Amino acid sequence: MVTVSRQPLAAAMAIGIGLGGFFDGIIFHQILQVHNMLSGWLPVTDLVSAKTNMVWDGLFHAAMWVVTLAGVGLAWRAGRRGDGAMTTRTLVGGFLIGWGLFNLVEGLIDHHLLGVHHVYEAMGASIWDFVFLGWGAAMLLAGWLIVRRGPAGAMPTGPRRTAP
Amino acid sequence: MRRVLAFPVLALTAGPAAACNICHSPTSLGVRHLLFSHDFWLNAAAVAAPLPVLALAIVLVAREPRR
């Protein structure tokens, strides 16, 4: 009898959220420098404003590091308790769900609701903010489909159950 | 051995910070001024805003449904 649990999926999802946050921070904030964490409220016009934004970028990265660590902790706990297997589908699907969720939540709150920054800050609120949301929705959907098509019990929708 | 012991002692004192070349530059003073201005907590809340939603999503998935 194999006990089925959602713990491995939650772990993969948390790591996926972290990966999404790191991708955003590393690619958009640091390498491409198309926006920074508060560049909508505190425009990057000189060295002081750039470095101040850099501090907020760092705090954002630190938060993503904590989320990733929580994901690793959840995976460790699930493995230790034998709470279901971390199948490839659960891992990949969970990553995609987490990353997609990050894009959707961060995009809706930071880009659209608060306007603390926009994807391409030089254009302000633009089509790129919606591309970011669409990208997140596509990842979320793809992840959900992958997990759903996984082996029985990969993502139980009902009460906790057992499989032979 | 003394050198080994000196490292943590120095690291825990304010001496190295006082010796920091860039910490007291006009740029860093400007950064601190901008960072800790009146809207510090508003900025912090804005940066942290997505986190509770993401954390809630993880908790909801991790929670086992009741029998």
Side-chain angles (χ1 to χ4, degrees):
Chain A
M1 301 286 273
V2 178
T3 303
V4 174
S5 170
R6 306 201 303 193
Q7 295 287 323
L9 177 64
M13 209 179 106
I15 297 171
I17 289 172
L19 290 178
F22 286 136
F23 183 90
D24 187 332
I26 294 167
I27 302 296
F28 294 140
H29 296 197
Q30 294 177 322
I31 296 176
L32 298 177
Q33 299 188 12
V34 289
H35 69 252
N36 291 97
M37 199 62 220
L38 287 183
S39 52
W41 288 3
L42 180 64
V44 178
T45 53
D46 55 12
L47 184 59
V48 170
S49 56
K51 284 174 74 72
T52 306
N53 266 286
M54 214 181 286
V55 174
W56 290 112
D57 287 344
L59 290 169
F60 163 71
H61 286 151
M64 288 300 109
W65 186 87
V66 170
V67 173
T68 307
L69 190 68
V72 172
L74 283 171
W76 173 78
R77 195 177 73 160
R80 197 158 176 263
R81 289 176 15 176
D83 282 350
M86 177 69 90
T87 63
T88 304
R89 284 184 183 277
T90 305
L91 184 72
V92 175
F95 278 0
L96 289 172
I97 289 173
W99 191 327
L101 194 67
F102 169 82
N103 277 25
L104 282 175
V105 172
E106 200 268 345
L108 282 172
I109 294 177
D110 287 348
H111 305 169
H112 295 275
L113 195 63
L114 299 176
V116 288
H117 65 251
H118 299 284
V119 174
Y120 190 52
E121 200 62 74
M123 291 174 71
S126 69
I127 185 73
W128 293 111
D129 294 328
F130 292 97
V131 170
F132 192 78
L133 287 182
W135 169 22
M139 287 182 101
L140 184 67
L141 182 65
W144 182 71
L145 288 173
I146 287 172
V147 170
R148 196 160 172 261
R149 287 184 56 195
M155 186 180 179
T157 51
R160 187 185 176 99
R161 56 205 162 110
T162 56
Chain B
M1 188 63 186
R2 280 185 181 177
R3 285 181 185 175
V4 175
L5 287 174
F7 182 75
V9 171
L10 278 175
L12 292 172
T13 62
C20 173
N21 285 326
I22 58 169
C23 298
H24 307 286
S25 67
T27 302
S28 62
L29 291 174
V31 170
R32 279 201 291 276
H33 176 71
L34 212 52
L35 190 64
F36 298 113
S37 56
H38 64 280
D39 48 3
F40 172 81
W41 290 110
L42 181 66
N43 291 339
V47 170
L51 295 175
V53 181
L54 294 170
L56 180 67
I58 295 169
V59 169
L60 287 177
V61 171
R63 267 182 65 182
E64 294 294 344
R66 294 188 177 203
R67 293 188 188 198

